[in-house]
């Protein structure tokens, strides 16, 4: 649980014995999690191949960045509409069983798109439809997968496992775009979609091989009325939950529209092909992987880190948008990936560790609904801005909104926790800290 509601203190998870002993990869000492991790890296690689291929296919079929935004929006629209119901299902039913269903369904969607593309029959509405179906499956898959981690590793290693999951995803992001670029240029998009569909065999096998007796027992919510309202009331009464969720909502909606911006910069600003587009995604993934591994080593989670990282993330996006040269734009994607992943992991682990286990599915579904479900709003809007005013304005808009959200949420959390912002200089660089308000300082401020 949280140790306070201030921006500097809530929620905090201090280094435990297991984390100190095992270090960065301590969760991999658990057999069930090792199986989960191995299966996930295969399917994640396929997923990233399909994402890059899907975006390039839509751009090839339509020539429009807004159409890429529509595809992204349709994939995340179900999370916005039905995300909370997914959390109720995750709290009510065995998560391993839910994941067997959802992973199989995701694989079938990938195979369907492969058949359409390889047969030469694919049209943009096919891509839209399958993107929406993928989103429907994700409504259940996301909260089940997020909360299943605690059943595999227990509370002591939860933060470490969340960070390793992100490292897993970003490792796949290093490989997937590069492979997708080669396949698109060499044999066509359909083969990338086919490999993605087949990649889901790996997590299905890993789930079937798990020893269910070694899973940590988690209380499941019984059937009952008002469980959605109960989850919303729970979050509304917890400032240490609601404000991180608000912040990641703004960043997820407006700051994470990279499929739109990278395709637009590749095609319209720097005039490079699919291979270089894949390379830009790989650079961002390299930074994200570094951020995930750094997070796995940290033994505590503080909202101060979340707020500062969100502000830096917005500032870096503005800098990238204004970059005059391709090499500078490409280099800035590395720290953008690193800081963006830090924001995601810090918020995710903070919210999970501050939530009662019986409520975790509903809280994490709200988290994912806000983080990913805002994409149907942000993606078409920023896609339109990008088409109408250019890629630089579109990218900068996302950065400005992310930066402003970090400043506002930071000030709100500081006020709730009885803190103030202190600007200073230390170790050769500027520092932003939240420190307790004292009576003399309050009088000086009033004066």
């Amino acid at each position: 649980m949280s140790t306070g509601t201030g921006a500097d203190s809530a929620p905090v998870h201090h280094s435990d014995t297991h984390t100190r002993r095992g270090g960065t990869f301590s969760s991999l000492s658990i057999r069930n999690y090792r199986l989960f991790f191995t299966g996930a890296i295969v399917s994640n690689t396929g997923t990233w191949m399909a994402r890059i291929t899907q975006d390039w296919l839509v751009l090839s079929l339509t020539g429009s960045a807004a159409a890429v935004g529509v595809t992204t929006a349709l994939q995340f629209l179900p999370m916005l509409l039905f995300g909370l119901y997914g959390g109720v299902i995750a709290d009510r039913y065995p998560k391993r069983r839910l994941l067997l269903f959802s992973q199989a369904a995701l694989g079938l969607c990938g195979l369907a798109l492969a058949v359409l593309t390889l047969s030469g029959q694919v049209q943009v509405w096919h891509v839209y439809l399958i993107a929406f179906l993928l989103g429907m499956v994700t409504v259940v898959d996301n909260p089940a997968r997020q909360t299943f981690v605690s059943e595999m590793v227990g509370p002591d290693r939860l933060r470490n496992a969340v960070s390793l999951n992100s490292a897993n995803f970003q490792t796949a992001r290093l490989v997937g775009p590069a492979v997708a670029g080669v396949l698109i240029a060499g044999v066509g998009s359909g083969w990338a979609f086919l490999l993605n569909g087949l990649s889901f065999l790996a997590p299905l096998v890993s789930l079937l091989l798990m020893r269910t007796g070694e899973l940590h027992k988690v209380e499941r919510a019984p059937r009952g009325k008002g469980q959605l309202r109960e989850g919303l009331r729970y979050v509304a009464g917890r400032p240490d939950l609601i404000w991180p969720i608000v912040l990641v909502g703004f960043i997820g909606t407006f700051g994470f529209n990279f499929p739109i911006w990278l395709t637009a910069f590749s095609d319209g600003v720097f005039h490079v092909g699919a291979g270089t587009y894949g390379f830009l995604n790989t650079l961002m993934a390299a930074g994200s992987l570094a951020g995930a591994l750094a997070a796995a080593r940290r033994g505590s989670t503080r909202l101060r880190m979340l707020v500062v990282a969100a502000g830096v993330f917005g500032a870096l996006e503005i800098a990238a948008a204004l970059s005059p040269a391709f090499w500078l734009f490409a280099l800035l994607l590395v720290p953008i990936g690193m800081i963006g992943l830090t924001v995601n992991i810090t918020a995710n682990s903070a919210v999970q560790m501050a939530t009662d286990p019986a409520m975790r599915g509903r809280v994490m579904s709200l988290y994912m609904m806000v983080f990913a479900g805002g994409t149907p709003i942000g993606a078409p809007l920023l896609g339109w801005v990008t088409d109408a005013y250019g890629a630089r304005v579109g990218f900068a808009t996302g950065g400005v909104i992310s930066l402003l959200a970090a400043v506002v949420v930071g000030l709100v959390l500081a006020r709730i926790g009885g803190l103030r912002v202190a600007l200073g200089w230390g170790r050769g660089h500027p520092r932003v800290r939240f420190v307790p308000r004292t009576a003399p300082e309050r009088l000086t401020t009033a004066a």
Side-chain angles (χ1 to χ4, degrees), residues 112-439:
L113 190 54
V115 170
L116 287 167
T117 307
L118 288 171
S119 66
Q121 302 299 313
V122 68
Q123 298 179 38
V124 70
W125 73 265
H126 293 141
V127 184
Y128 287 166
L129 176 61
I130 291 175
F132 182 78
L133 292 175
L134 285 169
M136 289 296 295
V137 178
T138 304
V139 165
V140 175
D141 183 78
N142 252 334
R145 184 162 33 85
Q146 297 271 350
T147 55
F148 187 53
V149 174
S150 63
E151 294 190 25
M152 289 184 286
V153 303
D156 291 338
R157 290 188 173 98
L158 177 59
R159 190 185 195 285
N160 178 260
V162 169
S163 299
L164 288 181
N165 281 353
S166 295
N168 183 319
F169 191 69
Q170 300 308 325
T171 300
R173 190 177 175 187
L174 283 169
V175 179
V179 175
V182 171
L183 289 174
I184 293 169
V187 294
S189 302
W191 293 100
F193 293 133
L194 178 62
L195 289 177
N196 171 52
L198 295 175
S199 72
F200 285 93
L201 290 172
L204 289 172
V205 171
S206 70
L207 288 165
L208 291 170
L209 290 176
M210 284 185 183
R211 296 170 182 163
T212 56
E214 295 179 6
L215 295 174
H216 291 255
K217 300 273 185 202
V218 174
E219 179 187 355
R220 291 206 296 268
R223 282 182 173 273
K225 293 182 178 180
Q227 289 179 324
L228 280 180
R229 290 193 299 273
E230 182 186 10
L232 292 173
R233 283 197 302 268
Y234 178 82
V235 173
R238 297 282 301 276
D240 56 336
L241 294 178
I242 194 168
W243 288 109
I245 291 174
V246 168
L247 179 55
V248 299
F250 274 98
I251 290 179
T253 300
F254 300 104
F256 270 73
N257 290 287
F258 298 112
I260 298 170
W261 297 322
L262 295 188
T263 51
F265 268 85
S266 297
D267 188 54
V269 178
F270 299 120
H271 309 291
V272 295
T276 305
Y277 170 60
F279 172 69
L280 293 177
N281 279 274
T282 299
L283 285 176
M284 184 172 288
S288 299
L289 177 59
L293 292 176
R297 292 188 62 85
R298 284 195 292 268
S300 63
T301 297
R302 294 180 182 272
L303 293 188
R304 176 180 63 187
M305 181 188 301
L306 172 62
V307 171
V308 172
V312 173
F313 175 77
L316 285 170
E317 287 198 328
I318 296 170
L322 301 177
S323 298
F326 174 80
W327 65 267
L328 180 59
F329 176 82
L331 285 178
L332 281 171
L333 294 179
V334 177
I336 286 174
M338 183 174 182
I339 302 301
L341 210 283
T342 299
V343 171
N344 193 5
I345 289 177
T346 303
N348 187 309
S349 56
V351 169
Q352 284 213 55
M353 288 186 291
T355 303
D356 295 331
M359 300 292 295
R360 194 168 283 153
R362 278 164 283 181
V363 172
M364 290 310 296
S365 69
L366 177 63
Y367 174 93
M368 291 306 301
M369 185 186 77
V370 171
F371 180 65
T375 303
I377 300 170
L381 176 61
L382 290 175
W384 173 80
V385 171
T386 300
D387 274 348
Y389 300 101
R392 295 188 185 279
V393 174
F395 203 175
T397 300
V400 168
I401 294 174
S402 298
L403 178 58
L404 289 175
V407 171
V408 172
V409 170
L411 292 174
V412 170
L413 286 170
R415 184 176 182 83
I416 291 172
L419 306 172
R420 65 177 179 86
V421 179
L423 303 177
W425 193 271
R427 298 181 182 177
H429 58 80
R431 298 180 64 188
V432 179
R433 294 181 300 138
F434 291 101
V435 298
R437 293 179 184 272
T438 62

Side-chain angles (χ1 to χ4, degrees), residues 27 34 77 249 295 348 396:
S27 296
R34 250 190 340 267
L77 181 61
N348 187 309

